[in-house]
Amino acid sequence: MQAVYFAPRGKKRLLFLGTNLQQRYLSPEDKLIGFLGDAGAGKSLLIRGMFPGLELTNDDDGINVRPLPLLEDAQRGHFRCHTYHLDVRFESAFTQPWMIADAIKAAIMKGHRVVVEHFDLVYPFLNVNAEVLIGVGEEVIVMRPTVFGPEPKGITDIVFESIKYRRMAHSAEDLTSMILEEMGLDKPEIHSDIKHGFVLESQFKPDIDLDLVEQRVHQLIKADLPICFADDEHIRVGETMYPCTGPRIHIRRTGEIKGFRLLKEFRYDPIQNLYTIAGIVGDNPTPTRSLDLMGPEYPIKER
């Protein structure tokens, strides 16, 4: 079983997608869930959506629980929790990978569930594949492997390559929104996703020149301004603070945005009664994948 979704960029959209994945693809009997993807891709938010109430041992905000409950309980020989979480990349700074693998195997053999971020780093020591693998890059890839694969590396090769398009698209989306506001338009309230790009939607047809908007965005890209996390609701572009629902999913500098262009027409959605502005990034529109993945692409809008 496999499915592919657009990876949304806002916090609410990621949580909502996590809830949908949990309802569609997880079984109460699944014991080992593996997450794959680069830091800042949104794995922790997906986990919060899929497992409400699960205490994450660490996330982007820092360390939540020490010592690691899974290792502590494995050493005692008594597992207190139904579901455990760990980030292998983080935990490898304190514990040998083979010890982490032994603790995971001991927990699942006792009937407990373990949710593992950066599963690919512990897989060589486990010799057991996850029952569900979830890769987070430009897309969210959900797979239920068999004894014939795929192995985690096949998914990491895809998501680590594609995350750059998601970061470029999100950064270009915020730059475009900034220019639209400078031109007197209200901040776009409805966002959705397309392949290697973004969509901004409005209830009214904007009275603007899209060529001019594109030129202004290219000026910001050429200026090579730094983009950095400010807080959970804002980024900083150069010296400008700007609201953002996904402040960690950005490139480091505007100059890293490649191949930006706007579609030079307003597309009208007669069902939703919305006008759309679409932007595309990337010089290569169809990056090669190492797996033949087919499935529904499910855009999630944010209001």
Side-chain angles (χ1 to χ4, degrees):
M1 182 181 68
Q2 55 193 30
V4 181
Y5 293 75
F6 284 126
R9 294 182 283 274
K11 179 179 180 180
K12 292 181 180 179
R13 287 187 284 172
L14 276 167
L15 290 170
F16 181 64
L17 177 59
T19 300
N20 276 274
L21 297 182
Q22 183 269 331
Q23 294 173 345
R24 294 185 179 196
Y25 304 112
L26 284 189
S27 163
E29 297 181 350
D30 290 333
K31 298 297 186 291
L32 186 56
I33 316 296
F35 283 80
L36 310 163
D38 200 2
K43 299 185 299 298
S44 295
L45 283 173
L46 271 182
I47 292 172
R48 292 186 188 280
M50 294 176 69
F51 305 96
L54 175 63
E55 181 68 30
L56 273 60
T57 56
N58 65 282
D59 55 22
D60 291 334
D61 294 326
I63 302 171
N64 300 330
V65 182
R66 294 297 298 173
L68 185 70
L70 176 64
L71 286 174
E72 188 178 34
D73 288 358
Q75 291 169 359
R76 292 177 177 178
H78 174 65
F79 293 95
R80 298 165 292 176
C81 303
H82 176 270
T83 302
Y84 292 89
H85 166 266
L86 78 152
D87 182 329
V88 178
R89 175 180 287 180
F90 173 82
E91 198 59 38
S92 295
F94 308 97
T95 310
Q96 293 294 323
W98 64 267
M99 296 179 65
I100 298 174
D102 286 349
I104 292 173
K105 286 189 284 189
I108 61 179
M109 291 300 292
K110 291 288 186 178
H112 298 264
R113 176 189 289 150
V114 185
V115 178
V116 184
E117 292 191 54
H118 298 288
F119 181 77
D120 54 307
L121 300 181
V122 77
Y123 175 69
F125 303 90
L126 269 176
N127 294 319
V128 175
N129 209 345
E131 292 170 279
V132 179
L133 285 173
I134 300 171
V136 187
E138 184 185 29
E139 300 162 325
V140 175
I141 302 169
V142 186
M143 301 201 73
R144 188 173 285 275
T146 69
V147 293
F148 303 104
E151 295 189 349
K153 185 180 185 303
I155 299 177
T156 58
D157 287 346
I158 297 172
V159 297
F160 275 84
E161 171 64 21
S162 69
I163 187 66
K164 64 184 180 184
Y165 295 102
R166 184 165 168 229
R167 287 175 172 150
M168 283 195 293
H170 193 195
S171 301
E173 177 181 358
D174 283 340
L175 294 183
T176 303
S177 297
M178 290 172 60
I179 295 300
L180 292 176
E181 290 184 59
E182 288 180 9
M183 298 176 74
L185 299 181
D186 292 335
K187 178 179 173 62
E189 295 295 333
I190 306 173
H191 308 256
S192 59
D193 308 281
I194 56 176
K195 185 74 171 178
H196 290 5
F198 62 89
V199 174
L200 303 175
E201 298 177 310
S202 172
Q203 295 180 347
F204 306 98
K205 185 176 181 179
D207 185 17
I208 55 171
D209 183 345
L210 290 176
D211 284 303
L212 179 59
V213 175
E214 183 178 277
Q215 292 173 15
R216 297 278 297 275
V217 174
H218 274 293
Q219 290 174 359
L220 294 177
I221 293 173
K222 188 176 181 180
D224 196 26
L225 301 172
I227 303 177
C228 62
F229 172 88
D231 57 41
D232 287 340
E233 297 180 350
H234 296 85
I235 58 171
R236 193 180 296 277
V237 182
E239 297 299 322
T240 303
M241 187 86 76
Y242 191 73
C244 177
T245 58
R248 300 186 190 277
I249 309 172
H250 285 277
I251 53 177
R252 296 179 180 179
R253 305 189 69 89
T254 59
E256 297 177 21
I257 299 174
K258 306 299 181 184
F260 171 77
R261 61 267 192 203
L262 289 177
L263 301 185
K264 301 306 189 300
E265 61 177 313
F266 297 100
R267 297 290 180 90
Y268 178 66
D269 183 345
I271 297 178
Q272 300 291 332
N273 193 28
L274 294 171
Y275 291 91
T276 66
I277 299 175
I280 306 293
V281 298
D283 297 323
N284 180 9
T286 54
T288 302
R289 294 178 175 182
S290 58
L291 291 177
D292 180 20
L293 295 172
M294 300 294 292
E297 290 185 334
Y298 183 54
I300 297 179
K301 297 183 179 181
E302 176 181 286
R303 292 181 179 271

